[in-house]
Each structure stands twice: as C-alpha cells, then as structure tokens.
Amino acid sequence: MTSHQTTQTMKPATAAKKLGVYLEATPAEFQEGVVSRTELNALQADPPQWLQELRRNGPHPRPVVAAKLGISISGLARGGVTEPLTTEQIDELKQESPEWLQQERATQAEVRKEAARIKEKKAARDEQTR
C-alpha cells in the first residue's frame, strides 16, 4: 500500500500575509486561486516582478506599515491610520513626524526597553537556579 502526500494549500489571504503584501494589490490570478506550500516557497525564494514591486512601493498591509514607522499596529489605529499606505506615504509621514507618531514611537521604545529588562531578569533568575 502506497501513501501519497496531499499538497498543502492555503487561501490567498494567508499567502499574502506570509509574503507581507496587501492582498487587494496582488494580481487577480493570485487573489482567485489557492497557493500551495511549494508555490509560496518559490515566491519567497525568487519573487516575481509584481511581488518585488509591491514589497518596494506598496500599498503595504498594516503590520508592514507599523514596522516601517517603528510603532505597533494599535498605535496606527490610535493615530487614525486605517488604510494601507504606500512607501511614499510612509516616508511623507516620517518626514512630517506628527505628534501622535512621536508619541507612539516613544511608547514602542518603552515597550522594547521593558521587554529587554524582563528578559535579562529571567536570564539572571535562570542562571541562579543552575
């Protein structure tokens, strides 16, 4: 008896999320089909022109926008940014540096500092128990 492995597939939304692109900006054939794990790996290893263009210029999904601005996704919402932004729009926002963005960046820096402190504390505690 032979066992044949079924191909693992995912919805286009899942694949777009894994690729870090905004689904609505992808080509129609990508949006309408299913993506196999092999196809996803191929897209990541050797991105086609449309994928390179989307990654470079956007529009970008919220997680990517937040990362490029150095803030959290919640910080985007608090700042009133609910739509995907292009790289150009993100750069303009950085240059304008509105008060809400400065505040969110400061908050994010505090969060990172606290996470590092907790990590150090845990490492020291683990070292003591050895």
Side-chain angles (χ1 to χ4, degrees):
M1 184 170 176
T2 61
S3 65
H4 46 78
Q5 207 168 355
T6 58
T7 304
Q8 184 182 14
T9 60
M10 61 193 83
K11 295 177 183 173
T14 304
K17 192 176 208 176
K18 289 181 181 287
L19 292 169
V21 295
Y22 184 57
L23 177 63
E24 283 74 16
T26 61
E29 61 269 10
F30 181 85
Q31 292 180 37
E32 295 163 1
V34 293
V35 180
S36 71
R37 174 66 62 186
T38 306
E39 290 169 331
L40 179 70
N41 291 340
L43 286 170
Q44 289 174 324
D46 186 24
Q49 186 62 39
W50 65 265
L51 182 54
Q52 291 175 26
E53 189 68 26
L54 275 179
R55 285 180 169 168
R56 189 175 320 115
N57 299 318
H60 303 288
R62 285 182 307 174
V64 174
V65 172
K68 285 180 179 269
L69 290 173
I71 63 175
S72 67
I73 296 172
S74 300
L76 274 181
R78 286 190 292 271
V81 178
T82 57
E83 298 296 316
L85 298 178
T86 63
T87 301
E88 186 178 315
Q89 291 170 315
I90 293 168
D91 290 342
E92 285 174 13
L93 202 52
K94 284 179 180 177
Q95 283 185 335
E96 291 170 8
S97 192
E99 189 175 323
W100 68 266
L101 180 57
Q102 293 173 27
Q103 189 172 0
E104 290 300 332
R105 282 182 164 170
T107 300
Q108 192 67 13
E110 287 298 318
V111 168
R112 285 191 199 108
K113 200 183 303 180
E114 180 65 9
R117 185 190 68 78
I118 291 170
K119 185 177 179 180
E120 286 177 17
K121 186 176 178 181
K122 183 183 181 313
R125 196 174 332 127
D126 289 349
E127 191 64 35
Q128 285 178 350
T129 58
R130 287 185 190 155

